[in-house]
């Protein structure tokens, strides 16, 4: 959830730096930040029926891999159009991460525990948003915004590899 929160919210923290490099005006910067939510919402609708025919683990891995690869590409973005395209792609795959996580909860926890587990995830998400601003701005000032995207991409892909190695959709897969 930390990386999901980082791509959504910490992007706002580095947006002034991205805007300076890519020469974005305020309207372009705002669209680059907000357009992510558009395909995140579309992704929720699109991934939901698709995920019914796949395991929670596979859904999570597709989301993490698509998001991570998009983030790697974000490191090299050179234009506003490239940035928008990648924000759209990343938003779509980020929705897959959320759906995969929810499927994991349904596979591992009884109905009576699911609410508290989702609450824990939302609390972690809120903590991640706070940490994003506390960590991202100093990192960007010390290096640059491309380094932030590289760290974010690496973290997301490392989580994907770890999930591929250890995550099971439910107790029956152990």
């Amino acid at each position: 959830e930390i990386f999901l929160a980082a791509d959504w919210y910490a992007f706002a923290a580095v947006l002034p730096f991205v805007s300076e490099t890519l020469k974005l005006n305020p309207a372009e910067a705002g669209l680059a930040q907000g357009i992510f939510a558009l395909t995140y919402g579309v992704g929720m609708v699109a991934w939901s029926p698709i995920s019914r025919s796949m395991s929670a683990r596979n859904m999570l891995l597709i989301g993490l891999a698509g998001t991570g690869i998009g983030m790697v590409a974000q490191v090299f973005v050179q234009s506003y159009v490239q940035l928008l395209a990648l924000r759209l792609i990343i938003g779509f795959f980020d929705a897959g991460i959320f759906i995969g996580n929810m499927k994991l909860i349904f596979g591992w926890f009884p109905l009576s525990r699911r609410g508290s587990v989702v609450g824990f995830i939302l609390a972690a998400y809120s903590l991640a948003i706070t940490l994003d601003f506390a960590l991202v701005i100093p990192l960007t000032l010390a290096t640059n915004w491309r380094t932030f995207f590289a760290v974010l991409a690496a973290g997301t892909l490392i989580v994907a590899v770890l999930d591929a190695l250890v995550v099971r959709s439910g107790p029956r897969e152990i």
Side-chain angles (χ1 to χ4, degrees):
E1 290 299 316
I2 288 173
F3 300 109
L4 177 62
D7 197 56
W8 196 317
Y9 294 100
F11 183 78
V14 299
L15 192 53
F17 304 102
V18 174
S19 295
E20 182 180 325
T21 302
L22 299 181
K23 309 288 189 253
L24 305 181
N25 65 45
E28 291 170 332
L31 185 59
Q33 172 64 31
I35 203 163
F36 174 93
L38 175 69
T39 52
Y40 185 83
V42 169
M44 291 294 236
V45 173
W47 286 120
S48 184
I50 294 169
S51 73
R52 289 184 194 129
S53 64
M54 66 176 62
S55 70
R57 179 179 178 270
N58 287 344
M59 182 73 253
L60 184 59
L61 290 174
I62 289 169
L64 285 166
T67 299
I69 292 166
M71 289 177 182
V72 168
Q74 242 178 181
V75 172
F76 304 102
V77 71
Q78 296 295 316
S79 72
Y80 176 60
V81 172
Q82 290 172 350
L83 180 64
L84 286 184
L86 289 168
R87 298 293 295 157
L88 287 166
I89 291 166
I90 293 167
F92 184 77
F93 282 99
D94 262 342
I97 296 171
F98 184 81
I99 289 178
N101 280 333
M102 292 303 106
K103 285 186 69 134
L104 282 175
I105 291 169
F106 297 153
W108 278 99
F109 296 95
L111 184 59
S112 63
R113 301 285 303 152
R114 290 179 190 163
S116 60
V117 174
V118 170
F120 178 74
I121 288 173
L122 293 175
Y125 191 78
S126 295
L127 176 62
I129 293 168
T130 303
L131 288 175
D132 287 340
F133 282 88
L135 300 174
V136 168
I137 293 172
L139 172 63
T140 302
L141 289 171
T143 58
N144 59 54
W145 62 268
R146 294 180 191 280
T147 301
F148 156 69
F149 283 139
V151 168
L152 188 58
T156 301
L157 293 172
I158 289 168
V159 169
V161 169
L162 291 174
D163 282 1
L165 295 173
V166 301
V167 169
R168 300 296 172 256
S169 294
R172 3 178 233 291
E173 288 190 7
I174 295 178

